[in-house]
Amino acid sequence: RICRSGDGKTAKRGSLLLCIMSHAEGSVTPWNYFSRRSLCERRKRGVLPTGSEMPCIQFLPFSIFLGILGILCVGLTGFWGQHWLGGFAWDGSSEMFNWHPVFMVTGMLVLYGSAALVYRVPFSWQGPKLPWKLIHAALTLVAFILVVLGLVAVFEFHNKMKIPNMYSLHSWLGLTAVLLFSCQWLTGFASFLLPWAPIWLRVLYKPVHVFFGSAILSLVVAACISGINEKLFFRLKNSTTPYSELPAEAWFANTLGMLILLYGLLVLWALTVSAWKRPDSNSQDMHEPLLQEAR
């Protein structure tokens, strides 16, 4: 509707905006992803306050870029194992160890990071939350399976080669991340997927779950980077071209570490963008057990 001032003339843009808002008061407009563009443009023109929570970066292009970056991290990790580390096997040899970084980067970094951003997908903002909770749980479960395979690969190699376990900072960081991840999945499953958790417990535990999600991802990034560095030191300490002279493998692995760092930072940043969170008005079903929702 068009509002007019008392003298019959069309109201100015600022007054028109207030008038439209007053007519829309009490009504709920269906959410539209493409409306985010207009809101961003209106903020640039000064119609919306600069302190608005709506970022000018849209989530879908960001998520496509992040997905490409995650695939690149996994692909480069596999290429490192195939090209420089001797390939892959499952026999307790060094080739079996090469599965360890591939499984960890795929599971604990990329899949875990993707699971953390499931509720930022714009299509999850409407309708029941149950399908998205199941996707979140499934992604983290697949990540956990890959983590177990990665641990089997490294421990089998160490035991066969008589190499001590759990002595390096990398191993401490990695095991801490895995233990916290296991507790995170179990408590999340018990709190949000099973019907006997009381409402007050789910409400109380949710911010704890969110915090440890970011903390675990930070530990994973630190473990990945320290693992790359540790592997380079072991491989290049007796090489004709030492690590300090940056041979091609060192350049490649260092670049991989920086890409892993970038992926982790982007996921953590996306989790802090409040405008990408599922609106509370559409999240009332978070207080209900999922098994009740399914009935």
Side-chain angles (χ1 to χ4, degrees):
R1 283 188 281 180
I2 298 178
C3 295
R4 298 183 178 274
S5 58
D7 57 0
K9 296 182 179 180
T10 303
K12 295 183 180 179
R13 185 170 63 180
S15 301
L16 179 60
L17 177 61
L18 293 175
C19 183
I20 293 175
M21 291 173 62
S22 65
H23 283 302
E25 185 177 1
S27 63
V28 178
T29 303
W31 177 86
N32 185 349
Y33 168 72
F34 297 100
S35 66
R36 300 169 75 92
R37 180 190 301 274
S38 61
L39 286 172
C40 183
E41 292 174 351
R42 283 156 57 191
R43 186 209 288 181
K44 290 180 179 178
R45 295 198 304 264
V47 179
L48 293 180
T50 56
S52 176
E53 294 182 347
M54 185 66 64
C56 291
I57 301 176
Q58 297 182 20
F59 179 80
L60 288 183
F62 171 82
S63 63
I64 292 173
F65 172 78
L66 194 65
I68 294 173
L69 182 60
I71 293 173
L72 184 62
C73 290
V74 174
L76 292 180
T77 304
F79 182 81
W80 186 23
Q82 184 65 43
H83 183 72
W84 274 291
L85 304 181
F88 300 92
W90 198 263
D91 54 6
S93 64
S94 60
E95 287 77 19
M96 182 176 180
F97 171 85
N98 295 339
W99 283 111
H100 173 70
V102 174
F103 286 147
M104 292 303 186
V105 170
T106 304
M108 283 295 287
L109 181 75
V110 177
L111 288 182
Y112 187 80
S114 300
L117 295 178
V118 160
Y119 300 122
R120 271 59 175 177
V121 176
F123 308 115
S124 71
W125 288 21
Q126 291 293 318
K129 201 174 182 181
L130 173 59
W132 302 99
K133 289 185 176 181
L134 294 177
I135 292 174
H136 177 80
L139 286 174
T140 51
L141 179 60
V142 174
F144 180 76
I145 294 172
L146 292 177
V147 166
V148 171
L149 293 175
L151 291 177
V152 170
V154 67
F155 282 115
E156 284 289 328
F157 168 69
H158 280 192
N159 293 336
K160 185 174 182 179
M161 297 292 129
K162 309 300 181 182
I163 300 174
N165 292 307
M166 302 305 302
Y167 66 90
S168 66
L169 177 61
H170 162 68
S171 62
W172 289 16
L173 289 171
L175 188 61
T176 301
V178 171
L179 292 177
L180 288 176
F181 175 44
S182 303
C183 296
Q184 175 89 336
W185 197 91
L186 290 174
T187 53
F189 181 83
S191 300
F192 303 121
L193 285 173
L194 296 181
W196 55 67
I199 294 178
W200 65 265
L201 178 61
R202 290 192 295 273
V203 175
L204 184 66
Y205 173 65
K206 182 181 176 181
V208 177
H209 187 77
V210 172
F211 167 77
F212 275 101
S214 299
I216 291 169
L217 184 62
S218 302
L219 282 172
V220 168
V221 172
C224 289
I225 294 174
S226 61
I228 291 172
N229 195 242
E230 180 179 297
K231 186 65 175 178
L232 286 175
F233 275 119
F234 283 150
R235 278 186 49 78
L236 301 178
K237 64 180 179 180
N238 297 323
S239 174
T240 55
T241 307
Y243 191 8
S244 59
E245 296 183 11
L246 283 179
E249 182 180 359
W251 273 102
F252 181 89
N254 285 351
T255 302
L256 172 60
M258 295 303 295
L259 292 176
I260 288 173
L261 176 63
L262 177 62
Y263 181 89
L265 290 177
L266 288 177
V267 172
L268 292 174
W269 174 78
L271 292 175
T272 65
V273 179
S274 58
W276 286 350
K277 295 179 181 179
R278 181 181 171 106
D280 291 337
S281 59
N282 295 330
S283 301
Q284 296 176 357
D285 56 351
M286 66 160 285
H287 301 297
E288 299 297 330
L290 289 179
L291 295 184
Q292 289 185 10
E293 291 178 11
R295 288 198 291 266

